Amino acid sequence: MISTEELNLLLTDLLDWYGYDFTHYSRASLTRRVDRLWNLEKFPSFAELRYRVRSDATYAQRFVEGITVNVTEMFRDPSFYLALRNDVLPTLTAKPFIRIWHAGCSTGEEVYSMAILLRETGLLHKSLLYATDLNPEVLDRARSGIFPMAPLRQYAESYRLAGGTRDFSDYYTAHYGYAKFSEDLGEKMVFSTHNLVSDSSFNEFDLILCRNVLIYFDKLLQEHVLTLFDRSVGPLGYLALGSKETLKFSSLQPRYKQLNNEKIWRKIG
């Protein structure tokens, strides 16, 4: 098991050599993930692992992908998407243009879920979805709009529970075990690297989604990222978080009102 001192050395290397700042990520989570990679790659010592990270930029990129969380799915938590469909998107219909930011979008399943919602509510034509992540490799996969077929049955059921109005298979074509989603959905997406730790706000948004990312940050970094989102949410805009995340106990709580029982807050102040 990697020691605290060894983990600190690795994190310093990633910051100094490649600009990735994991200083305020949860140490317990990072320790588990580094240990898993160490065992998976069968490095004989910490010195070997550290040398590989410092000397091989391609491996370092793979290492960063391994210690960041890229677990996602389409229409995850269907009641959340049902609330978006019924309670959030209808309030945006009068806007001439709708900007949505998926922060920490990973491989893009949730971005495509949102595009489908926008299509079915008649808003996709005047919307733009900004999808960002720390890791350029997962962004490349998201940009392709190609996902494995294996979980599609589960996705279709989640889509139905989220109020889906069509046959889910209408949105993709199947090829050799993969599903390629309609290009007209992807045309409304802008994919870009963005580091929640060090990068600033880059636009004003009607809706920001950052689900199941903050749970991997310590309290100081959580407050920093929430402040970044607050600067980026327009008046009466929305902020959506993951099922185990909250604005409660943050300095921003008085400025937002929670929507129903879902992890969606509307900016009121």
Side-chain angles (χ1 to χ4, degrees):
M1 182 173 180
I2 191 168
S3 69
T4 300
E5 181 181 355
E6 290 168 339
L7 181 62
N8 288 340
L9 287 171
L10 264 183
L11 298 185
T12 299
D13 289 341
L14 289 172
L15 179 58
D16 291 347
W17 288 69
Y18 305 105
Y20 291 111
D21 188 353
F22 292 100
T23 308
H24 293 287
Y25 278 58
S26 163
R27 291 309 173 99
S29 176
L30 285 175
T31 298
R32 287 194 301 271
R33 292 175 181 278
V34 172
D35 280 341
R36 184 181 65 82
L37 289 174
W38 190 343
N39 293 327
L40 198 64
E41 303 282 356
K42 296 183 169 55
F43 287 107
S45 67
F46 170 73
E48 293 282 349
L49 167 61
R50 188 184 182 197
Y51 176 77
R52 183 72 182 278
V53 169
R54 288 164 63 105
S55 63
D56 185 342
T58 300
Y59 177 76
Q61 188 62 56
R62 251 186 25 242
F63 184 83
V64 167
E65 183 174 347
I67 63 173
T68 51
V69 181
N70 296 305
V71 178
T72 185
E73 61 188 60
M74 299 193 78
F75 294 96
R76 175 171 47 180
D77 305 322
S79 63
F80 168 82
Y81 281 93
L82 190 62
L84 288 178
R85 181 190 293 272
N86 293 336
D87 302 324
V88 174
L89 296 185
T91 71
L92 304 179
T93 55
K95 287 183 169 288
F97 193 73
I98 300 168
R99 290 186 180 88
I100 298 173
W101 179 15
H102 286 263
C105 72
S106 188
T107 45
E109 283 85 343
E110 292 197 357
V111 189
Y112 276 85
S113 302
M114 176 60 71
I116 290 171
L117 277 190
L118 291 166
R119 160 67 68 76
E120 294 186 356
T121 52
L123 299 175
L124 185 61
H125 70 284
K126 62 174 182 177
S127 299
L128 195 59
L129 286 73
Y130 295 79
T132 66
D133 200 274
L134 173 71
N135 193 313
E137 289 191 15
V138 299
L139 285 174
D140 285 341
R141 297 209 293 271
R143 193 178 286 111
S144 74
I146 299 173
F147 305 105
M149 283 292 296
L152 263 288
R153 181 176 293 181
Q154 175 198 330
Y155 294 172
E157 176 62 11
S158 296
Y159 163 75
R160 185 186 67 79
L161 293 172
T165 60
R166 299 174 58 175
D167 189 324
F168 188 59
S169 62
D170 290 347
Y171 290 108
Y172 64 86
T173 53
H175 296 285
Y176 303 106
Y178 287 88
K180 168 67 174 173
F181 276 74
S182 302
E183 289 187 3
D184 62 334
L185 299 176
E187 287 172 357
K188 292 297 184 177
M189 301 173 189
V190 177
F191 292 93
S192 179
T193 55
H194 183 276
N195 190 332
L196 291 172
V197 177
S198 57
D199 292 340
S200 59
S201 175
F202 59 93
N203 215 320
E204 183 177 282
F205 297 94
D206 302 294
L207 169 62
I208 296 177
L209 301 97
C210 185
R211 306 184 66 220
N212 305 302
V213 175
L214 295 182
I215 53 175
Y216 299 103
F217 298 163
D218 66 17
K219 294 296 183 185
L220 186 65
L221 185 52
Q222 287 179 16
E223 187 73 14
H224 168 81
V225 173
L226 289 174
T227 301
L228 167 65
F229 292 154
D230 184 54
R231 294 196 196 104
S232 306
V233 177
L236 298 178
Y238 296 90
L239 174 60
L241 303 178
S243 59
K244 296 180 181 178
E245 298 163 339
T246 184
L247 281 186
K248 292 179 180 177
F249 316 116
S250 81
S251 63
L252 303 179
Q253 183 178 356
R255 297 165 55 81
Y256 290 80
K257 180 180 180 182
Q258 190 169 2
L259 189 71
N260 300 328
N261 292 319
E262 296 300 329
K263 293 306 180 79
I264 304 171
W265 283 263
R266 192 170 199 186
K267 191 171 187 177
I268 58 174

